[in-house]
Amino acid sequence: MHFLDQAKIFVRSGAGGPGAVSFRREKFIEYGGPDGGNGGKGGDIIFEAVAGLNTLIDFRYTQHFRAARGHGGSGSNRTGAGGDDLVIKVPVGTQILADDEERTLLADLTKVGERIVFLRGGDGGRGNASYKTSTNRAPRQHGTGWPYEEAWVWLRLKLLADAGLVGLPNAGKSTFINQVTNAQAKVGAYAFTTTRPQLGVVRHKQREFVVADIPGLIEGAADGAGIGDRFLGHIERCRVLLHLVDANDEDVAESYRIVREELEAYGGGLVDKPVVVALNKIDTLDDELIEALSAELEEASGAKVIPMSGASGVGVDWVLDQLLEAIGPAPATLEVPADDQGEDPVEWSPI
């Protein structure tokens, strides 16, 4: 499946149905009077966040969404049927933005099952029965129904993950996520092996958390160099960042600085997030060089550096321990007493 994190679509709610102009015509009933019913309401445009989706690729091929309009009223004071609402299903983490220069945020769907009525359908028009007064016994006017609402909007997906991987191209991010999760990210001995974000679920010490891997950053990414920084939005919601530095780089301190400067240039509060710094690919070095490079990287980052190898697994558990500590405790669960047999302590009564 192709990954797409932005899409522009057109949405239109349904217009209200027209009211009816009708008069009661029954045998032996004189002066029946007006009995035209109201029109039905138009359908709403509803966005719903659902589980199981992690891309907006469906909106590349279907870009226009129109809800049904309301049906017209009829005689015998019958109201027209309302138009069906149109529910647009999107991945969790989807933002709805206005189609303007500022891309104004209109809605943010961050929970499974979250729904918003984005465009409301028009109300139905009044039938002539509702226009009857003491001085106007046979009205022939009616409402045509309220018009629809329409808009062009941008959908932008920001993946929801607990931890995000950052680093230069070929820092070993894909190897790491393959090692600790069930993801199958592409690995290669060349830059920009990863061309789209990857998600994986880590199971460590009876805990689960989600890790996001994004394409590597290079100097000038904020200005569009390389793949640029467009995928950084996918780690804005992360609680902690794992910064991987390749131990084979000529200057590990410079490698760290380049990525940090690009994060700062992007903004979004990324530089303020907790960071776990790891010196990767230590399986290719001796202990003395590992110690020297770790000290150099610690001086540049001001944080404790964890030597590790994503390929061999050395130090990986240590890294996962630090990520769990930064993510925080698991959500509290309801504790069931050991002697609870699942019985209702209140005596049952049919009354």
Side-chain angles (χ1 to χ4, degrees), residues 165 176 180 204 209 242 244 276-279 306-309 314-325:
L165 304 182
F176 175 82
V180 301
H204 182 65
F209 61 94
L242 173 57
L244 296 182
V276 176
V277 182
L279 182 67
I306 304 175
M308 61 158 281
S309 170
V314 175
V316 169
D317 286 344
W318 188 5
V319 171
L320 296 180
D321 289 343
Q322 297 301 308
L323 292 178
L324 274 180
E325 183 178 343

Side-chain angles (χ1 to χ4, degrees), residues 4-8 56 97 103 154-157 230:
L4 187 70
D5 61 353
Q6 293 189 60
K8 185 179 180 181
L56 298 174
L97 310 171
R103 295 282 181 92
W154 280 93
L155 302 181
R156 181 172 65 191
L157 175 61
R230 66 178 295 253

Side-chain angles (χ1 to χ4, degrees), residues 232-254:
L232 284 177
H234 294 289
I235 60 173
E236 284 186 21
R237 305 180 195 266
C238 294
R239 303 186 202 177
V240 59
L241 300 180
L242 173 57
H243 190 155
L244 296 182
V245 179
D246 189 348
N248 297 303
D249 289 345
E250 294 183 3
D251 188 343
V252 293
E254 179 67 9

Side-chain angles (χ1 to χ4, degrees), residues 44 68 94 191 244 247 251-252 263 272 281 284 307 330 335:
D44 298 332
T94 299
L244 296 182
D251 188 343
V252 293
L263 295 179
D272 300 324
K281 304 183 183 179
T284 61
E335 295 185 1

Side-chain angles (χ1 to χ4, degrees), residues 13-19 38-43 68-73 81-83 120-125 143-149:
S13 63
N38 299 331
K41 177 183 173 298
R69 69 169 298 161
H71 293 263
R120 189 178 182 278
D123 292 328
T144 56
W146 291 89
Y148 51 76
E149 298 178 355

